[in-house]
Amino acid sequence: MEIPLTQIAERVGGEVIGDEHTVITGIAPLTTATPSDLSFFIDKRYRKALQGCRAGALLTSGPMNEFEGPQVVVADPQLAYAKVAGLFAPPVRRYPGVSDQAFVHPESRMGGDVSIHPGVHIEAGAYIGEGCTLFPGVFIGERVKIGKRTLIYPNVTILRDCVVGNDVIIHPGTVIGSDGFGFVRDGEKSVKIPQNGQVLIEDEVEIGANNCIDRATLGRTWIKRGTKTDNLVQIAHNVIIGENTIIVAQVGISGSCTIGRGVIIGGQVGISDHMDVGDGAMIGSQSGIAKSIPAGEAVSGSPAISHRQWLKVSALTARLPQLQDRIKALERKIQVLESDGAKE
Amino acid sequence: MEIPLTQIAERVGGEVIGDEHTVITGIAPLTTATPSDLSFFIDKRYRKALQGCRAGALLTSGPMNEFEGPQVVVADPQLAYAKVAGLFAPPVRRYPGVSDQAFVHPESRMGGDVSIHPGVHIEAGAYIGEGCTLFPGVFIGERVKIGKRTLIYPNVTILRDCVVGNDVIIHPGTVIGSDGFGFVRDGEKSVKIPQNGQVLIEDEVEIGANNCIDRATLGRTWIKRGTKTDNLVQIAHNVIIGENTIIVAQVGISGSCTIGRGVIIGGQVGISDHMDVGDGAMIGSQSGIAKSIPAGEAVSGSPAISHRQWLKVSALTARLPQLQDRIKALERKIQVLESDGAKE
Amino acid sequence: MEIPLTQIAERVGGEVIGDEHTVITGIAPLTTATPSDLSFFIDKRYRKALQGCRAGALLTSGPMNEFEGPQVVVADPQLAYAKVAGLFAPPVRRYPGVSDQAFVHPESRMGGDVSIHPGVHIEAGAYIGEGCTLFPGVFIGERVKIGKRTLIYPNVTILRDCVVGNDVIIHPGTVIGSDGFGFVRDGEKSVKIPQNGQVLIEDEVEIGANNCIDRATLGRTWIKRGTKTDNLVQIAHNVIIGENTIIVAQVGISGSCTIGRGVIIGGQVGISDHMDVGDGAMIGSQSGIAKSIPAGEAVSGSPAISHRQWLKVSALTARLPQLQDRIKALERKIQVLESDGAKE
């Protein structure tokens, strides 16, 4: 794909300094870019790399003297990068129409321009919105509703009655609508609590690979607009997650938690059941959350404390042997002082 | 589905107080129930919600004055709820018979009334018991035996020679019988130790979504009757898990561990290889187990200590900066006392 | 399968003591071996089991008096076991040729002697090397290249442009080439950073079940020769992992980390982004890595410190209540000394 620099500048609302007729065919980091690539200067630590850079043009927040070629100046070069890079990616493979090697229940319905690959399975009462792409091995259960332009990668399972919005991306191997983990003890035995609810995933959500999002016991497990999850995330029954929240890989959120909007949850965090995490809270990697977290707080540790306190605590924990030595020294000195006192 | 209250009372061994001819069509929490729903009073914290509750009837452990409609009084309302809720869930979708879009090896066998969806793959020598349901994307390897009425959700893989009992439920994406993680170093290289054993899953086990249960090196990895696992659980080769144990999401159990019966393992726990966890032990979330745990003990932390001790330790850990301050204060005072002593 | 002891001795470079015409049909531990089995003495803790052992022959590092039958003496009996055990495992099931129930894009290509099971999906531009085996539910995206003799278990997804080497094993449910988790904030919203790179997996790598290996933002995520991962491992975009590294279950490695060769990473470890882990480093289970680790170091804890220091620190942490008691005692004594001083 050949794209003139002017077109790139338009897409990102940037200003071209230098030859605006330069034609770009790819995007690459400073160190590996060739003369037909656009490169980008986002992280100031890489300033030295500008000098030897062979890129055909540079995306930057201000004109850089070290770079001799044309530059596209924007307010936020990382955001501009995000908007431009997609131009040079191959388009997502779409099967033309509905494959006759897919299983499509006659009582299901579809919007226009869907791409249903071979090996997809769509059950009775399901609805697949206009412009959706379903890859091989995708299972869509009874009465599932999928919005418009949603992209579902291979081997994803979406079980009965779940609802997925518009412009959602679901990466391979993810399971949506498995039973919540609910049992009652009857003597030694565990009696299953039927999980009758659903999962609701709103527009513009992106779900990573091999996630598990359980259906609610009653009502819904609910992931609101614009939230993104990384891979191998566990979201239990009746969890509610607010808008534009970020959940890093291998996080586990237990049943009936309410997570706010704009929250950032680091990798491998575990959250106990029935917790509230307020809007804009930040949870450090590997934290364990057993108390609710007010809006805007940053916490870390297991059990989690304020992030600032945790920095002190973990530094001190590593020095516990020295603290013990200081206690020992004090004990010796006290003994000396006491025996001195006794002598008098 | 319309169910008279008498029938519900019979199912749970309860007594009806009020109009036993009330007809129920669903089940819902106190706050959202409508006049045709059964609701339930399980958690005393929600007592206030009884007053405005519009439910047609109430499941409760004793007659509640705040609720005006008919009540079904039972010894354990949560257990009763578990037994009743299934009446109002849609039945599991069963493909009628064996789909001709499934791959069924001619040398495999099946019991009566099986439901084999399109896209299932069954290898030579496998046996699928009476009344089983296999969803699309399920792979059943050579000589695998599946018991009666077992339910296997989409995209589950069960590899050669594994055995699954009766009334088992396996949620989507789970892998049973992958090779145990065993290598021997030969210089820098890792030589694979062949994993020749199997996985045996007994009756009434329920396995969550995207679990991994590895086959034994020799002999069997063994999950006994009535045990339940949540999502994303890792069970390594040659692990034995006793009856009616509960394993919460994202737990990892290393090779050759023996876990007792009635054990409860919290989310994200890691257990080192060759550990014994005694019957009825309880392991707190995110714990790391590197010593065997006697029967009946409750432990927490990484490395784990008794849960009671861990509560004290984690409170003190968060106060380490204050402990350090107290040591500093002592050091200053000692210095004063010592210099006072020197002056004398 | 019947194998004479001489043939076994040849395979492992061992010496037979006793009747070399003994015929072996299986391999089993000391306690369960029957007279037609080979058993093995690897772990000295099991020496007592030699006496009652009924095995037809024994693999051992030196002749054992306690065992009466023929013995195969080798330098490293565990390595010898690894080389022999495969003889007694059933061969991997190979579909003869390319199933007409697989979807094979006409613009894909294949080497000789491939086994493509029903339900495999191969996209345009893909190449499957000689001798490969692809199980049902495997998805191979556009332009993916797979080397020779590679074994891909059911329901594995390999997305566009990824490259997998020779003699690789990929266990079920694993996802290779999902998008890296990269977003830029634009006000409250998260704008997706297109993930244009690939995943490169070199020869003799083994990837466990339900792993997630994300494609690079640009360039490649790269797993070098001979590295092995256990189940449920997360490898983020642009990670590079050196040769012959071992990664235990449920590890998460964040974006742009560089892991050396011969590294051992314990279960449930989390590694922050942009870390370097040097050759031969060892990381204890459940550690959290937020600082780079020099070659050859052993670390543990979260945040990780040297393993030796961590052993002391975690022992002391468990004794924090006693440390606090000692501080309290000191405070009381100081008070006494101070008041004694004041009296004088």
Side-chain angles (χ1 to χ4, degrees), chain A residues 93, chain C residues 98 103-111 121-128 140-145:
Chain A
R93 182 73 171 184
Chain C
V98 179
F103 175 95
V104 178
H105 196 285
E107 289 164 35
S108 65
R109 291 176 310 123
M110 295 189 198
H121 187 106
I122 300 173
E123 272 293 349
Y127 177 78
I128 310 296
I140 303 291
E142 297 156 275
R143 299 172 298 279
V144 166
K145 304 280 176 278

Side-chain angles (χ1 to χ4, degrees), chain A residues 105 121 123 137 142 157 173 181 188 192 194 196 214 232 234 250-252 269-270 287-288 302 309 313 326 333, chain B residues 81-82 85-86 89-90 93 136 155 206 210 229-231 244 246 250 261 268 286 317-318 320-321 324 331 334 338:
Chain A
H105 196 285
H121 187 105
E123 272 294 349
E142 298 157 273
T157 299
F181 193 65
E188 288 217 317
K192 183 175 177 69
N196 296 358
D214 282 349
L232 292 164
Q234 152 71 359
Q250 297 177 316
V251 164
V269 165
S287 297
S302 176
Q309 177 80 347
V313 164
R326 286 163 69 181
K333 288 180 177 178
Chain B
Y81 171 78
R93 181 74 171 183
N155 296 321
E206 183 164 344
N210 283 342
T229 75
D230 200 346
N231 301 329
N244 297 312
I246 294 283
Q250 297 177 316
R261 58 191 298 158
Q268 297 184 332
Q286 293 192 323
T317 302
L320 266 177
Q324 190 189 34
E331 287 167 339
I334 289 273
E338 285 177 335

